[in-house]
Amino acid sequence: MTGKGARGRRPASGGEQEELRALRRRLDILQQATRTIWGTLDVELVLKHIIEVTKEVAEADAVLLYLLDPDGEHLVLRASSAAHPDLVGNLRLKVGEGVTGWAARAKEPVAIAEHARKDKRFKFFPGLPEDESEAFLAVPILRRGKLVGVVNSHRRRAHAWDADTIDLIATITQQVGGAIENALLYEETRKRAEQLDMISKLSGAVVSGSYLDEILQLIVSLTANQMRSRICSLMLLNEEAGELVIAATQSLSEGYRNKPPIKVGQSISGLAVRDRKPLVVSDVQADARYAYPDVAKAEGLRSLLCVPMMIQDRSLGVLNVYTTELRRFSAEDVQLLQTIANQAAVAIQNTRLLTETLKMREALESRKIIERAKGILQREMGLTEDKAFRLLQKKSMDSCKPMKEIAEAIILSAEMRGGK
């Protein structure tokens, strides 16, 4: 028997069943994406999951994800389904620039089925193969109506994305906007904690009384680790010669360690000392100001951040950070390295002052000993003060020993004879 409800229910048609299956699939994708993406605070994993889900839903050949820069005016490429080591983190475009920027400013998706490069909004970026795609879909990532970024889907051949697919990607991006913000906040908090820990270690080293060489070596090692640098070097200024010489580096490369001194005003380091301000070089291999491009090529060095080590308005040298990939150093990077460089300057200044104090103390002690030895010679040999000094000086020169050592021997001999 069948009930009244069963008799009144019309069996779903083939088209309706297909639509239901598609709806269930979309709901499954949305739920799985939400669980996966919200399940981690690692920003790189969050972005990776968004790339993967978008690529599956859009059936795309490639997916790129841009995030809004803290300045609120630029979008920065932060993740890609293909490897772009020189572009990720460096490729920037203004909000409103290109199709991506247009979608960001309008806060609505842009779908181009074919001939994407012919769109009047399109902006071509050299070195980005995805720009050769025929079809292009840009969907803004929003968080409570606020722009977080844009995710782009590319297809090599013409393709018209249906409204349901675009809506699903838009729904996913709205769901994950908060996850991205949380992950970025966590990343920022973690970086701040690491930076504070490093600065604390440096401050402790500065006041520890350790030898200067040990302190400078600690500075370059911690800095290289914190800033993910291939080579970090600290160069001290020889004011008499007007040259910068490498005083510490964590690099094991003999080619880099044995670089000749740099004159103030020459190369990047010399310019930073002369102008007393940080300098950023996007590619040292291509910058005419860099004095050693052969060394840079041999070591695979690309980007450079160089900051002067300042004590008040005086530069004691520079701190250099090199990377093996093209990197756009942020204002935060510059500020952090300047803080470290200033800590290094304090350590150098303190050590020099201590050295000068010890030298003065030693000179005073030597003078007292020499004066005492002169007195003994004057009494025992009937010499004038000037002749006693000249005798000490001659003994020192003849024996190639310091006058202090000759004077100590005279005093010891007198004490053994019972003299004073």
Side-chain angles (χ1 to χ4, degrees), residues 47-64:
L47 301 183
K48 178 175 179 288
H49 290 324
I50 295 172
I51 290 281
E52 292 171 347
V53 171
T54 303
K55 189 174 182 181
E56 178 185 354
V57 173
E59 298 179 350
D61 294 312
V63 175
L64 303 178

Side-chain angles (χ1 to χ4, degrees), residues 284-315:
V284 292
Q285 295 186 23
D287 196 303
R289 297 172 299 173
Y290 191 70
Y292 302 106
D294 293 341
V295 174
K297 289 178 181 178
E299 300 299 321
L301 306 179
R302 301 303 297 272
S303 297
L304 165 65
L305 172 57
C306 174
V307 300
M309 298 183 294
M310 303 296 297
I311 287 288
Q312 297 178 345
D313 61 347
R314 179 167 163 246
S315 177

Side-chain angles (χ1 to χ4, degrees), residues 239-257:
E239 292 183 325
E240 291 184 3
E243 294 178 339
L244 288 163
V245 181
I246 295 176
T249 178
Q250 91 317 339
S251 171
L252 299 178
S253 165
E254 290 298 323
Y256 184 82
R257 284 176 173 270

Side-chain angles (χ1 to χ4, degrees), residues 374 377-378 383-393:
K374 281 197 310 181
L377 292 176
Q378 287 177 256
L383 301 175
T384 64
E385 182 179 356
D386 183 60
K387 288 185 177 180
F389 179 79
R390 289 184 181 279
L391 180 59
L392 281 170
Q393 193 175 48

Side-chain angles (χ1 to χ4, degrees), residues 129-162:
E130 287 79 2
D131 276 357
E132 302 292 337
S133 302
E134 276 288 302
F136 187 95
L137 173 62
V139 180
I141 303 171
L142 304 175
R143 168 69 167 169
R144 296 175 182 171
K146 175 185 173 185
L147 181 67
V148 176
V150 179
V151 60
N152 292 338
S153 300
H154 301 257
R155 290 191 60 147
R156 287 186 289 270
R157 296 182 179 179
H159 177 78
W161 282 282
D162 60 79

Side-chain angles (χ1 to χ4, degrees), residues 319-332:
L319 190 59
N320 296 316
V321 166
Y322 294 87
T323 64
T324 53
E325 76 283 354
L326 294 175
R327 184 191 299 181
R328 180 184 177 274
F329 290 102
S330 65
E332 181 186 80

Side-chain angles (χ1 to χ4, degrees), residues 213-231:
D213 289 347
E214 295 176 1
I215 295 175
L216 300 186
Q217 197 59 47
L218 175 64
I219 287 171
V220 295
S221 298
L222 290 175
T223 303
N225 182 63
Q226 177 66 33
M227 302 197 73
R228 296 176 289 112
S229 169
R230 167 65 180 275
I231 290 180

Side-chain angles (χ1 to χ4, degrees), residues 235-371:
M235 305 182 77
L236 291 181
L237 175 62
N238 181 330
E239 292 183 325
E240 291 184 3
E243 294 178 339
L244 288 163
V245 181
I246 295 176
T249 178
Q250 91 317 339
S251 171
L252 299 178
S253 165
E254 290 298 323
Y256 184 82
R257 284 176 173 270
N258 294 330
K259 282 198 314 178
I262 293 173
K263 290 287 185 181
V264 172
Q266 295 180 355
S267 196
I268 306 302
S269 299
L271 291 171
V273 168
R274 185 194 69 185
D275 300 336
R276 291 178 292 186
K277 65 181 183 180
L279 283 177
V280 177
V281 178
S282 59
D283 189 353
V284 292
Q285 295 186 23
D287 196 303
R289 297 172 299 173
Y290 191 70
Y292 302 106
D294 293 341
V295 174
K297 289 178 181 178
E299 300 299 321
L301 306 179
R302 301 303 297 272
S303 297
L304 165 65
L305 172 57
C306 174
V307 300
M309 298 183 294
M310 303 296 297
I311 287 288
Q312 297 178 345
D313 61 347
R314 179 167 163 246
S315 177
L316 303 184
V318 294
L319 190 59
N320 296 316
V321 166
Y322 294 87
T323 64
T324 53
E325 76 283 354
L326 294 175
R327 184 191 299 181
R328 180 184 177 274
F329 290 102
S330 65
E332 181 186 80
D333 291 331
V334 177
Q335 183 179 7
L336 173 62
L337 194 61
Q338 189 66 73
T339 301
I340 297 169
N342 292 344
Q343 288 279 345
V346 171
I348 294 165
Q349 184 75 349
N350 287 348
T351 303
R352 286 177 175 175
L353 290 174
L354 178 61
T355 300
E356 290 176 6
T357 301
L358 291 175
K359 284 182 178 178
M360 290 177 62
R361 185 181 299 170
E362 184 177 347
L364 182 59
E365 291 296 324
S366 296
R367 183 176 177 180
K368 289 180 179 178
I369 292 171
I370 291 171
E371 288 294 324

